[in-house]
């Protein structure tokens, strides 16, 4: 009989594909029709993603506490309902301010409750020995969503018009996603008389401690490892996001046509799948700091490649280590929080750490654009990324996580 935890994992792949595919990767597809409909500028349209990100980060600490205290299946069902409602609302808007209101009020909680927060919290509860690979496999959903949903949504808009397309998406989410969550998501293994990883033996003393709440919000905020993880991951994630948002413009500056340049983003998404799988397995066996240092090293190789490459094959080759490294961030990051704070307080810790990273991830893309405007190219930005990675690597050396049980090969 298949361990129920794998069914829960499959459901999180699906929910993260919806969340990332529709709200992150397909954002440009969703927002573009409003330019013609309301005569809006690109700058005003991009404000929608700022509102989505800002509201998501502000809600994150409260959502994390809710995940630890309540039934995750109910929470994810509410997220799916809000995502469906958000698309239905977008199909009925008559002014730009209404679009911005939907991105500020309805979609941020859906973004949180169907994304990494709930998915990785479930994985830390259902898996212990196999936690690294479970986090990696679950995170593949974001790459699948990024690969599938933008072209599907674009085709749907072309066939039905944007109002009917968004209404159809909202209806499909309600009809498909909510039943999937209800059927396949179970809050924790003990609810159905199982142990983490499907083990027959009763949980050990250390496993019992892992499943007991030991951290208050104040205690988490006082813990040095909380700030170390938040700052290090914030720097690494900010560097990657800044590169991602400027990769296509950098490629077009080298004389590469925009359609071919856009394929580089798809290449990163595909490579991230391999990175999530590989680093997910490594997270079970390596010191997590070594895993994160490895990801940083791959990113550094990629940036050195971008500094020297001036042709399409060269830039694509530089994307190889960057995509693998980006895929490794989610499982390593999730495993660090689980090892540091335990499964019972995972949601609270992850929810609190998102606002710590927010200043880095918000600042990096526009600063990179400013460097380009000042210098006329991205070379100094890529050099700055390398310096940032060195700083993050040095800070990571001071991180001390609680010991974990050895995992058999």
């Amino acid at each position: 009989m298949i361990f129920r935890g794998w069914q829960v994992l499959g459901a999180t792949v699906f929910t993260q594909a919806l969340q990332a595919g529709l709200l992150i990767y397909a954002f440009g597809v969703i927002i573009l029709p409003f330019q013609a409909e309301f005569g809006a500028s690109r700058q005003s349209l991009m404000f929608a993603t700022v509102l989505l990100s800002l509201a998501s980060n502000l809600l994150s600490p409260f959502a994390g506490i809710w995940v630890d205290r309540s039934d995750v299946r109910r929470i994810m069902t509410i997220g799916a309902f809000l995502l469906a409602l958000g698309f239905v609302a977008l199909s009925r808007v008559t002014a730009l301010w209404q679009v911005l209101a939907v991105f500020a009020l309805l979609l941020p909680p859906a973004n949180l409750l169907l994304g990494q927060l709930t998915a990785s919290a479930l994985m830390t509860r259902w898996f212990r020995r196999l936690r690294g690979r479970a986090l990696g496999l679950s995170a593949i959903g974001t790459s699948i969503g990024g690969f599938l949903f933008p072209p599907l949504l674009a085709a749907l808009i072309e066939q039905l018009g944007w109002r009917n397309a968004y209404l159809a998406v909202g209806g499909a989410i309600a009809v498909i996603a909510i039943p999937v969550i209800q059927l396949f998501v179970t809050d924790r293994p003990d609810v159905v008389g199982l142990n983490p990883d499907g083990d027959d033996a009763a949980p050990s003393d250390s496993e019992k401690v892992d499943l007991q709440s030991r951290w208050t919000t104040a205690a988490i905020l006082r813990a040095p490892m909380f700030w170390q993880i938040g700052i290090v991951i914030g720097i690494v994630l900010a560097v990657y996001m800044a590169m991602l948002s400027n990769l296509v413009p950098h490629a077009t500056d080298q004389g590469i046509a925009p359609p071919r340049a856009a394929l580089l983003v798809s290449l990163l998404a595909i490579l991230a799948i391999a990175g999530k799988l590989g680093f997910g397995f490594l997270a079970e066996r390596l010191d997590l700091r070594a895993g994160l240092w490895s990801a940083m090293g791959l990113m550094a190789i990629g940036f050195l490649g971008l500094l020297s490459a001036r042709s399409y094959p060269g830039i694509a080759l530089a994307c190889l280590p960057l995509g693998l490294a980006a895929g490794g961030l989610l499982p390593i990051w999730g495993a660090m929080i689980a090892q540091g704070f335990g499964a019972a307080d995972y949601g609270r810790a992850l929810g609190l750490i998102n606002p710590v990273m927010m200043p880095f991830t918000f600042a990096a893309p526009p600063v990179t654009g400013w460097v380009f405007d000042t210098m006329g190219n991205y070379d100094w930005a890529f050099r700055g990324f390398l310096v940032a990675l060195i700083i993050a690597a040095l800070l990571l050396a001071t991180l001390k996580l609680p010991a974990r049980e050895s995992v058999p090969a």
Side-chain angles (χ1 to χ4, degrees):
M1 183 176 179
I2 298 177
F3 173 49
R4 188 171 178 84
W6 298 116
Q7 298 177 6
V8 177
L9 188 152
T12 65
V13 171
F14 175 68
T15 56
Q16 288 188 101
L18 282 178
Q19 173 264 334
L22 290 174
L23 297 182
I24 298 175
Y25 287 94
F27 172 80
V29 179
I30 293 171
I31 209 73
L32 197 57
F34 301 125
Q35 181 177 9
E37 185 72 17
F38 304 124
S41 67
R42 288 288 176 91
Q43 182 179 7
S44 60
L45 290 174
M46 291 303 109
F47 193 54
T49 192
V50 175
L51 291 173
L52 176 65
S53 180
L54 180 61
S56 296
N57 278 283
L58 292 177
L59 289 172
S60 181
F62 306 100
I65 294 172
W66 191 22
V67 166
D68 285 339
R69 291 181 176 177
S70 187
D71 178 48
V72 177
R73 177 167 59 184
R74 184 183 305 115
I75 291 172
M76 293 176 76
T77 300
I78 293 171
F81 173 77
L82 290 173
L83 183 62
L85 185 61
F87 272 89
V88 171
L90 286 176
S91 75
R92 312 310 301 166
V93 295
T94 57
L96 181 61
W97 71 265
Q98 296 169 5
V99 176
L100 299 179
V102 172
F103 274 91
L105 299 175
L106 289 177
L107 295 180
N111 187 42
L112 278 173
L113 303 183
L114 290 177
Q116 182 199 7
L117 180 62
T118 50
S120 55
L122 285 169
M123 294 304 94
T124 61
R125 296 174 187 180
W126 277 91
F127 298 92
R128 182 173 173 83
R129 289 183 299 101
L130 307 178
R131 184 176 287 166
R133 74 186 66 180
L135 287 166
L137 287 167
S138 174
I140 287 175
T142 61
S143 299
I144 293 174
F147 183 77
L148 291 178
F149 281 104
L152 287 176
L153 185 58
L156 201 61
I157 291 172
E158 185 176 356
Q159 292 295 319
L160 303 179
W162 65 270
R163 290 190 184 275
N164 288 333
Y166 297 164
L167 186 63
V169 170
I173 293 170
V175 171
I176 299 172
I178 292 177
V180 166
I181 293 169
Q182 289 295 312
L183 285 172
F184 296 108
V185 173
T186 303
D187 193 62
R188 56 182 74 245
D190 58 278
V191 173
V192 288
L194 297 174
N195 294 319
D197 303 301
D199 290 342
D200 294 328
S204 65
D205 290 340
S206 63
E207 288 173 331
K208 291 177 181 177
V209 169
D210 187 56
L211 296 171
Q212 294 172 357
S213 178
R214 294 169 291 144
W215 293 86
T216 63
T217 297
I220 291 174
L221 293 175
R222 287 196 300 266
M225 65 177 171
F226 168 80
W227 295 99
Q228 290 166 315
I229 294 171
I231 292 172
V232 169
I233 297 294
I235 292 173
V236 177
L237 190 61
V239 163
Y240 179 75
M241 291 178 64
M243 180 280 301
L244 183 63
S245 61
N246 289 278
L247 179 61
V248 172
H250 170 66
T252 57
D253 290 342
Q254 312 310 314
I256 298 166
R260 292 189 73 204
L263 289 176
L264 294 169
V265 178
S266 298
L267 176 63
L268 288 172
I270 293 171
L271 289 165
I273 295 177
K276 287 166 185 173
L277 290 174
F279 278 92
F281 280 88
L282 289 174
E284 298 168 8
R285 288 162 171 78
L286 288 181
D287 180 294
L288 293 176
R289 295 184 306 168
L292 188 51
W293 275 321
S294 299
M296 291 180 188
L298 286 171
M299 292 182 74
I301 292 171
F303 291 137
L304 288 171
L306 289 177
L307 274 169
S308 59
R310 292 295 181 265
S311 65
Y312 191 81
I315 296 175
L317 188 63
C319 286
L320 294 179
L322 288 168
L324 292 172
L329 287 181
L330 281 179
I332 294 283
W333 170 17
M336 277 186 169
I337 295 175
Q339 185 173 331
F341 299 98
D345 299 304
Y346 181 91
R348 183 192 302 262
L350 181 59
L352 288 168
I353 217 164
N354 283 330
V356 175
M357 300 188 300
M358 183 172 65
F360 300 100
T361 56
F362 268 36
V367 168
T368 302
W370 174 81
V371 171
F372 174 83
D373 292 337
T374 303
M375 300 296 180
N377 57 54
Y378 286 103
D379 288 356
W380 280 103
F382 296 147
R383 295 186 182 107
F385 294 165
L386 290 169
V387 172
L389 289 175
I390 292 172
I391 294 172
L394 294 174
L395 290 174
L396 182 60
T398 67
L399 175 64
K400 294 182 179 179
L401 292 170
R404 62 179 176 184
E405 291 183 301
S406 60
V407 179

